[in-house]
Amino acid sequence: MSEPVDVVLIGGGIMSATLGTLLKKLQPDWKIVVLERLSEVAQESSNAWNNAGTGHAALCELNYMPEAKDGSVDPAKAVAINEQFQQSRQLWSSFVEDGILDGPSTFINATPHMTFVRGEKDVAYLKKRYEALRTQPLFAGIEYSEDSRVINQWAPLLMQKRKKGEPFAATRVPAGTDVDFGSLTRQLFDHLAAEGVEVRTNVEARKLRRQADGTWRVSLRNSLGRTPGSLDARFVFVGAGGWAIKLLQSSGIPEITGYGVFPIGGQWLKTSNPAIVSQHKAKVYSQASVGAPPMSVPHLDTRVVDGEASLLFGPFATFSPKFLKHGRITDIVAQVRPGNILPMLKVAVDNPGLIKYLVGELAKNHGKKVDSLREFMPTARDEDWELLQAGQRAQVMKKDKDKGGVLQFGTEVITSADGSIAGLLGASPGASTAASIMLGLLKTCFPDRIAAWEPELKALIPSYGTTLNGRPEVAAATIAETADVLDINR
Ligand SMILES: Cc1cc2nc3c(=O)[nH]c(=O)nc-3n(C[C@H](O)[C@H](O)[C@H](O)COP(=O)(O)OP(=O)(O)OC[C@H]3O[C@@H](n4cnc5c(N)ncnc54)[C@H](O)[C@@H]3O)c2cc1C
């Protein structure tokens, strides 16, 4: 016998947690069920050690503002990412004020965001980027320096024993953050469970079938391989991370035709040595190597997880055919369909730089990895750093009418024409922009309800439906208010 419910959220990551919490506020009467195949929530990409915990606001990541062929730099994408992060900050502030989230230091900590580059070309580019951003209200307070004494004050590990002669420069925004997305996810699910939402762990959604009445039958399997019935849902969100593609394909919706994913694993170097950790309080991003995907830009980060600070450097790319850290080795072949095989082959042919980059990364032993770190931190010693396995990224490959097939590095929400099912593909900027992604999804999937929900959404996210950057005073006030509630950026 299949159980009727209003909403099924597949996957216990930050995306389902955010959508579930929003829906519970907007429609407290709806029956919502969450399915997680592992024994706990937040064990895949949303786990603190599986991602870098950067509150992506485009303060330090160069890939959101590349130099155009004519040498110009356009701040539009960086501003848009920052606007999205401001929505997350507002939503988390409201959740703290409502008691849904615990003390803010359990999931967010003030950590200046820096960019550090070397060589004349990159120094000239960083200066140009700084000039374009410093007048944007959302980037107020950004600083630039080519002076080793100033950079030494910002991040001494970058400067100690650095050889003289090569030009370098850095920018710094004190208002950056480090976010423990695992803690945030767990707290949101705890709240949902307390509010009567069923969070079923050790239960995997196997297949999605549309019923004659328009609902979705979600067939289930538990960790013993048994079938604990099925659910009939009016709306399904596929927040299954790397496995979203499999479930969306199983649903048979035409919107998923032509899509595939390419898995890229990651590793970090981590140190908890207090003598090193105490000398660095920042997230320092740099330029990506040639051929490297934008999210593989190396960075040296302060992390605060479970109240304990450590430093993380990476990511180093790895390859595994699995779409999740706990996925299956058959994942990469099981996705092949007549509709996506050509776009995927085209991506392989068109991206020799990526393949070369991956091969180079795979060849790096521990010493070579620490050599990469020494480009940031010349005094790094092999023995202080241990290797950690990060989460899997499932990068989107899709059909393109001009190129045949393209690899893209952002996130993409796939929605059926009637809005009864939606799923999220891709990884970046990811968890930081979960609020904005889910607001977009609510609008697309519930067009007949969104107007009625607007007052509640505006109460949760005052900038909902508008932008901040064009209104300097409102932007400054919003940043100050959320900084106050979240106890950051002072
Ligand atoms: C190396 C790395 C670094 C990153 N760094 C950052 C960063 O610094 N800042 C940032 O904002 N973002 C970052 N991201 C991206 C961010 O981690 C992800 O965008 C975000 O965590 C995705 O959340 P999710 O809920 O979609 O997926 P996940 O957290 O992966 O959750 C999906 C869940 O679905 C479950 N599941 C899968 N299939 C099924 C099924 N059939 N039935 C039931 N359950 C299922 C899985 O077990 C998992 O728990 C990074 C990602 C990686 C991999």
Side-chain angles (χ1 to χ4, degrees), residues 76-97:
K77 176 95 192 278
V79 169
I81 298 285
N82 197 306
E83 292 275 7
Q84 292 176 6
F85 190 62
Q86 298 307 331
Q87 292 194 321
S88 291
R89 281 176 58 139
Q90 291 170 71
L91 186 65
W92 300 337
S93 298
S94 295
F95 287 168
V96 168
E97 286 177 325

Side-chain angles (χ1 to χ4, degrees), residues 269 300 313 369-378 380 385:
L269 287 174
L300 177 60
F313 177 76
K369 287 185 167 103
V370 185
D371 280 346
S372 303
L373 167 60
R374 276 188 274 270
E375 291 179 19
F376 274 71
M377 177 190 165
W385 297 80

Side-chain angles (χ1 to χ4, degrees), residues 10-16 35-38 42-46 50-54 56 181 203-205 239-241 243 247 268 285 324 390-393 424 427 429-432:
I10 302 175
I14 186 72
M15 299 298 168
S16 292
L35 305 172
E36 169 52 55
R37 64 189 284 263
L38 300 177
Q43 292 305 301
E44 287 285 348
S45 291
S46 303
N50 287 343
N51 63 69
T54 303
H56 285 303
F181 292 109
V203 178
E204 185 174 309
W243 275 17
L247 288 158
W268 311 113
Y285 278 61
L324 290 169
Q392 280 289 102
R393 292 185 195 258
L424 187 81
S432 303

Side-chain angles (χ1 to χ4, degrees), residues 301-313:
D301 286 15
T302 301
R303 295 300 318 275
V304 182
V305 177
D306 297 330
E308 201 187 308
S310 54
L311 299 189
L312 209 65
F313 177 76

